Amino acid sequence: MPDYYDISDILMEDEAVSVVFHVGANGVGLLDPGTETNSVEKGAKIDLPFWLAHELCRRRAVSITIPSCFGQKMKKDVQADAACVDLGTRYPYFYEFGCKLFPLVGDKSMGPFLRHTFASRYKEMLSKSHTASLNAIPKFVLRLSKEEYQLFEAARSSMVEFKKWRVRDLGLMKTTIVGHKRKTDLH
Amino acid sequence: MAGQSDHSLSIFSAAEVEFIAEDEMIEIVPNIRMDALNLLCGDFGPFLPQIPCTVPLWLAVALKKRGKCSIRTPDWMSVEKLTQVLEAERESPREFQPLPFHYVEISRLLLYHAHDDIPEVYMVRSLIEDIRNVRFHKVESGLETISGRTHAVKLKNLSAMEVNLVRPFMARVLQAFYKHDSPEMVQQADTSASKRPQVVDRGPRRDLRPR
């Protein structure tokens, strides 16, 4: 269940999902830009924010269709190369959203799909996040979802802090610390 | 501090780990005469010139700063020992060599304050750097093999500073994997009970070193 005070949860639940109404609803015509009367017809396809769709789905008033971010095209992209999929700009709440959506929609393959995506991107992220420096933001950071970005930040900030501590009093001796470059270094 | 945004992952800053490391005992050779020090953590002294004695590192550094002693290098910090350790680290891709728990902090403090007391100080410094790099890469490559069913990650012989470095990342990664894994396990119990013999079984322990 979403954390009531968690701001990222609140933002995440604002994502739009497309739903199909099972019942007609009166007085909420502004949800559907195409109606003349102030009501929504049964069987209409509307875009609602997730928090609304979630509640209505619990009361069996609507059924949620899987949004495009979990559809076939995304699955093909992930299978091709999971690390290059651009989750940061398009779907920053990819994983949280998927976890929330998963019990509502009857698609059993979505859970393993999420985990597989995360696992393959994680390998890529691991080495890069530890060696990234403070100022240069590697391009792949823009491709991370919010959750992955937190992981990346945690690793990077602890690494940077350690480096600062290491050269703290050394002053002129800093040059002897610069060792051989390894292939995973991103400088 | 790296972990502050998430209070459940409170970690130590590097300076705090150094502070804890300063409690290690080390040998010094004083060059002054001083009475015994009766401190809360123990009694040290009396200090006689040219008689070696064992004191905590913070006391040794304080005395050294005032020019009252010279610090004797610990055994593990000699060039031969360090070269041995480095060779062994490079040879075994999954094991970590036993090193003192606070070797990073102790070496840094000694190299800064007592570099005239250490023989071949530049060699020692570069050896320790290399050892640190090799171990850290081992940690990283071990972390790559974490899958969803990892309940615990065991790293033997890792030093305090290295642990502190990976702690926030590893905690969050394990949390994320756990979050992704648990509902699927429950859901799949209904559909594919025949495929998986025991769904509630703990996954294989993921050791980062052979037992």
Side-chain angles (χ1 to χ4, degrees), chain A residues 17 20 39 57-58 60 75 81 88 104 120 126 128-129 146 154 156 158 184:
Chain A
V17 286
V20 174
S39 65
C57 193
R58 279 236 304 253
R60 306 269 187 270
K75 285 191 181 150
D81 187 3
L104 299 178
S120 25
L126 170 66
K128 289 194 185 149
S129 58
K146 280 273 187 312
R156 185 175 81 165
S158 76
T184 50

Side-chain angles (χ1 to χ4, degrees), chain A residues 30-83:
Chain A
L30 58 86
L31 288 177
D32 186 4
T35 63
E36 302 93 21
T37 64
N38 195 16
S39 65
V40 173
E41 298 293 313
K42 178 170 168 182
K45 257 184 148 184
I46 316 269
D47 280 336
L48 293 180
F50 178 69
W51 48 272
L52 192 54
H54 178 65
E55 284 303 311
L56 292 177
C57 193
R58 279 236 304 253
R59 292 154 208 241
R60 306 269 187 270
V62 302
S63 76
I64 302 185
T65 53
I66 302 182
S68 64
C69 60
F70 301 110
Q72 281 302 108
K73 183 170 176 303
M74 183 59 97
K75 285 191 181 150
K76 288 211 182 76
D77 281 346
V78 163
Q79 269 176 356
D81 187 3

